[in-house]
Amino acid sequence: MPQAWRGLALAAILTMPLVSAEMVLIEPAAVFPTVAAVPVEVLQKPGPLTPEESAMMRAHPETGCQMLKQGGINAVSRAVVRSHHEKWDGTGYPDGKAGVAIHQFARIATVADVFDALTSARSYRAAQPPHAGYEYILAHAGRDFDPEVVDVFRESVAPHPPGTGVILSDGYCGIVKAVIPGRVNRPVVRVVLDPAGTPIAPKEIDLAEHPGLTIVSADFDPWARPEAAGASA
């Protein structure tokens, strides 16, 4: 979670009221207690968890919080660890808190944690592409996640980072060349194939300058087309 946490935390500091720079100092608290509170063989288990293992996983926010308290870690960090599996609608755990009753920093950590989990490889599944994690977060705003935090996420995390092969709504294929801060979902795309799949002289299209043009898929694999991959360099 570190990179996702840092990026979302910094964006929240700049755009959300009542969020302080203290938040960027609590990153380790959102990672290490989980690792320490659950045996590695359970965290990396490729198959379904037993009831006992599931109970251990659900208990890790409380276990981790207690570990931090014993270590003299501040209350804010403990609140993040205890509440990072709570959900906006009150269906999370361990306390079933809802809405603003969940600590604001924990609401931010929850979004970062889920996005990182979805886009990271696990022993039991492959990593999902960034756009899939992005769409999941947006789809669960107001249910799992604080809508205000999701708004910040939407404007600060790129669904198609540089190097992603994409298909545009006009049928052209290309590679995302650059993501511009402030408009992360309207990147600059280097187009290399026409709608028929024929290589063309590469051209750069800034989607911010073409409002009618959108990314409809990230299924284009430029590395499966050597001529396309070479044109993207």
Side-chain angles (χ1 to χ4, degrees):
M1 189 172 68
Q3 187 170 354
W5 168 251
R6 277 194 294 268
L8 190 56
L10 290 170
I13 289 169
L14 294 174
T15 60
M16 292 176 66
L18 305 180
V19 176
S20 73
E22 179 185 11
M23 184 168 58
V24 299
L25 303 177
I26 63 178
E27 174 193 330
V31 182
F32 298 122
T34 298
V35 175
V38 181
V40 65
E41 60 269 21
V42 175
L43 288 173
Q44 298 180 357
K45 186 176 180 179
L49 300 180
T50 66
E52 293 77 14
E53 291 167 340
S54 294
M56 189 182 301
M57 288 295 295
R58 288 184 66 87
H60 84 259
E62 295 172 279
T63 305
C65 181
Q66 186 61 34
M67 290 169 59
L68 292 182
K69 185 175 182 179
Q70 292 172 351
I73 303 299
N74 66 72
V76 171
S77 295
R78 299 200 305 270
V80 170
V81 170
R82 184 177 183 92
S83 298
H84 72 284
H85 282 293
E86 300 289 358
K87 295 184 178 181
W88 184 252
D89 65 359
T91 61
Y93 63 91
D95 301 309
K97 292 182 178 179
V100 297
I102 305 167
H103 196 288
Q104 187 179 46
F105 292 2
R107 286 179 262 148
I108 295 168
T110 297
V111 172
D113 185 41
V114 171
F115 179 75
D116 181 76
L118 291 171
T119 57
S120 299
R122 295 289 188 262
S123 57
Y124 50 88
R125 61 158 175 80
Q128 295 188 39
H131 70 87
Y134 181 92
E135 291 163 3
Y136 181 93
I137 297 296
L138 269 56
H140 289 78
R143 187 171 72 182
D144 292 356
F145 311 118
D146 179 347
E148 186 180 13
V149 175
V150 174
D151 285 343
V152 174
F153 173 88
R154 179 190 290 113
E155 298 302 323
S156 60
V157 176
H160 302 99
T164 304
V166 296
I167 302 173
L168 302 180
S169 54
D170 61 1
Y172 281 80
C173 298
I175 299 93
V176 174
K177 180 181 180 182
V179 173
I180 312 302
R183 52 181 180 88
V184 295
N185 60 349
R186 304 294 292 172
V188 176
V189 177
R190 188 173 179 82
V191 175
V192 295
L193 300 181
D194 69 14
T198 304
I200 62 172
K203 59 179 180 179
E204 292 181 7
I205 297 179
D206 187 340
L207 294 186
E209 298 176 359
H210 299 271
L213 200 57
T214 61
I215 294 173
V216 296
S217 173
D219 291 335
F220 171 52
D221 182 3
W223 310 112
R225 297 287 302 266
E227 70 278 17
S232 70

